[in-house]
Amino acid sequence: MNYSVFFQNKYRYWFILALATYTYVNTAVCRVYDYFQMPIEWYQAYLSIILITLITWEWSRINQPFFERWFDGEKNIIKRLGLFFVFGLLGSIIFTCMIVVAFEHWVLHIPMSLDNPLKLTLTYTSLINLLFHLVNAVVFFMGKYKSKQLEAEELLRMNTQAQLQSIRSQINPHFLFNNLNVLSSLVLKDKEEANSFIEAFSKVYHYILRNQDKELIELQKEIEFLQPYVYLLQQRFPHSVELKTEIDERWKNTYVVPVALQMLVENAIKHNVLSSNRPLEIKIKANGTNDLEITNNLQPKLTKEPSSNIGLSNISQRYELITGKQIKVNSNEKEFKVSLPLIEVNAYESSNH
């Protein structure tokens, strides 16, 4: 970490000039020179203040790299800043005494005195040295805080990406297992139907491989993806599943989590009885609010299958990690409904620039 940001600032000489000017104006307004009977012209006083301020700054700037090398490491920060301040103070006092003596002898032509001029000048030197080192410490700790904050944000981002990758990896095995079982039975019974199934299966699987690493995807693409997926469902459960979509045009350009619809439909099939006499009705609707509603009628199985909680938990975690929003789950005696937040196009695109 660079500790020399403050003293090495490219605008330091402007800062020194501004501080010296401010100091002189205050001494002039308060008539300090008249009060202490100091025989000095205004430009001489102004020049001496500029010179002392400059030397105090430059002494610390030149010596700071040595203290950084001698007291490197997190444990030596306070010791380094403290000794750096003391060393800067001692050096600036010595230089100030030399300047005052030379000024009295060569400019004012008066005998050297330890009275008011030197005392006032040393007081100013001590105060500005303290000011410089306090600001330097503040700048240092602010930079350190910002650096730690950036590190924390980077760790959080990496952790989020790792969680997302772990969650996404849960999708493929579940999808493959169900459809490969259907395919194996079709190959033995009807080769032509098996070819059609393979074609639809390849489209669905290609969509999953191409889009599962994306954070969000357009709702229109998710709806199009359902067409070959519905065909796969019809092969698995002939005349037992009814899927209806009701999506207004205005919502088709919004975003959802990839493969969320497929997982919710699969989840509904897993936990309900399916038969041609009692088909499972699944409705996907977006026509009034900023949510996409996926609803199915409840006809639960008498023997519940052990749940791994991959479906809803997977979608919920991805929504929370990617958008900070949460899905809504509601159920009653007749139906089960999941509401997915629809992400506006502009909001999502702007967050990824």
Side-chain angles (χ1 to χ4, degrees):
M1 179 180 293
N2 185 7
Y3 299 113
S4 307
V5 175
F6 176 69
F7 282 109
Q8 301 293 340
N9 190 288
K10 62 180 180 179
Y11 299 111
R12 59 185 180 273
Y13 297 122
W14 289 107
F15 177 74
I16 291 170
L17 180 61
L19 179 60
T21 303
Y22 176 79
T23 302
Y24 170 74
V25 169
N26 279 274
T27 57
V29 170
C30 296
R31 303 179 65 86
V32 171
Y33 308 107
D34 294 337
Y35 181 81
F36 289 101
Q37 299 180 351
M38 297 169 60
I40 189 170
E41 297 293 336
W42 72 268
Y43 58 88
Q44 295 172 339
Y46 184 39
L47 179 62
S48 65
I49 292 175
I50 293 177
L51 188 59
I52 291 171
T53 306
L54 176 64
I55 289 179
T56 301
W57 180 293
E58 288 297 293
W59 174 250
S60 292
R61 183 181 68 85
I62 293 171
N63 287 283
Q64 187 170 27
F66 296 101
F67 281 88
E68 291 178 4
R69 289 198 297 268
W70 293 339
F71 299 96
D72 192 19
E74 295 292 323
K75 295 181 179 179
N76 296 318
I77 292 175
I78 301 300
K79 180 187 293 185
R80 181 180 60 77
L81 291 175
L83 290 177
F84 180 41
F85 163 72
V86 172
F87 193 76
L89 179 62
L90 293 176
S92 59
I93 286 175
I94 293 173
F95 283 114
T96 297
C97 290
M98 294 171 61
I99 292 172
V100 171
V101 170
F103 204 83
E104 289 177 340
H105 181 73
W106 298 105
V107 178
L108 300 180
H109 304 291
I110 60 176
M112 185 184 69
S113 172
L114 298 177
D115 205 1
N116 293 328
L118 183 59
K119 292 179 181 178
L120 288 174
T121 308
L122 289 178
T123 300
Y124 172 68
T125 300
S126 301
L127 289 176
I128 61 167
N129 184 75
L130 176 62
L131 172 65
F132 291 161
H133 282 265
L134 284 177
V135 175
N136 177 63
V138 170
V139 170
F140 164 70
F141 283 113
M142 287 295 292
K144 186 176 178 63
Y145 171 77
K146 187 175 182 180
S147 176
K148 293 295 183 182
Q149 191 176 39
L150 290 175
E151 290 179 8
E153 290 175 357
E154 180 64 16
L155 288 173
L156 179 61
R157 186 190 66 80
M158 294 174 62
N159 183 57
T160 300
Q161 290 298 323
Q163 291 182 54
L164 280 173
Q165 192 60 38
S166 175
I167 293 168
R168 287 166 179 156
S169 68
Q170 299 171 1
I171 298 174
N172 290 342
H174 190 238
F175 175 77
L176 281 171
F177 178 77
N178 290 323
N179 288 283
L180 288 177
N181 282 340
V182 176
L183 179 59
S184 63
S185 61
L186 284 176
V187 169
L188 297 175
K189 296 178 181 179
D190 190 334
K191 292 185 178 179
E192 184 175 347
E193 194 68 32
N195 288 334
S196 299
F197 186 91
I198 291 173
E199 183 179 350
F201 179 71
S202 64
K203 289 180 180 179
V204 172
Y205 196 67
H206 179 259
Y207 176 87
I208 293 176
L209 289 179
R210 187 177 58 188
N211 296 303
Q212 69 171 348
D213 287 334
K214 294 181 179 179
E215 293 184 346
L216 296 174
I217 195 167
E218 297 94 330
L219 177 59
Q220 175 66 32
K221 291 184 179 180
E222 279 284 285
I223 298 300
E224 293 174 355
F225 157 70
L226 283 179
Q227 295 177 2
Y229 181 67
V230 168
Y231 173 79
L232 299 181
L233 289 177
Q234 291 172 345
Q235 296 303 312
R236 289 171 60 191
F237 311 102
H239 311 293
S240 301
V241 179
E242 295 180 4
L243 185 64
K244 298 180 181 180
T245 59
E246 186 178 334
I247 312 291
D248 285 354
E249 286 296 323
R250 61 169 296 200
W251 299 114
K252 290 185 178 180
N253 290 327
T254 54
Y255 285 79
V256 293
V257 167
V259 199
L261 300 185
Q262 178 254 331
M263 296 185 72
L264 288 175
V265 171
E266 190 75 22
N267 190 67
I269 291 172
K270 178 180 179 180
H271 296 288
N272 289 277
V273 174
L274 285 79
S275 68
S276 56
N277 295 327
R278 298 177 59 194
L280 182 67
E281 298 178 357
I282 302 174
K283 298 178 182 179
I284 301 176
K285 178 180 178 181
N287 56 12
T289 65
N290 290 328
D291 290 336
L292 180 68
E293 298 178 352
I294 299 88
T295 307
N296 65 269
N297 57 316
L298 278 179
Q299 39 195 49
K301 296 179 179 179
L302 295 178
T303 304
K304 293 185 178 181
E305 297 183 22
S307 176
S308 61
N309 294 319
I310 288 179
L312 285 176
S313 177
N314 185 300
I315 298 170
S316 177
Q317 289 180 61
R318 283 194 289 160
Y319 257 104
E320 188 169 351
L321 287 170
I322 295 170
T323 70
K325 297 184 177 182
Q326 296 182 342
I327 68 174
K328 302 174 185 176
V329 180
N330 296 290
S331 63
N332 52 41
E333 295 179 354
K334 295 183 178 180
E335 65 179 20
F336 182 85
K337 180 169 67 176
V338 178
S339 298
L340 303 180
L342 291 173
I343 311 303
E344 296 292 339
V345 176
N346 292 336
Y348 175 63
E349 289 180 344
S350 63
S351 67
N352 283 270
H353 288 310

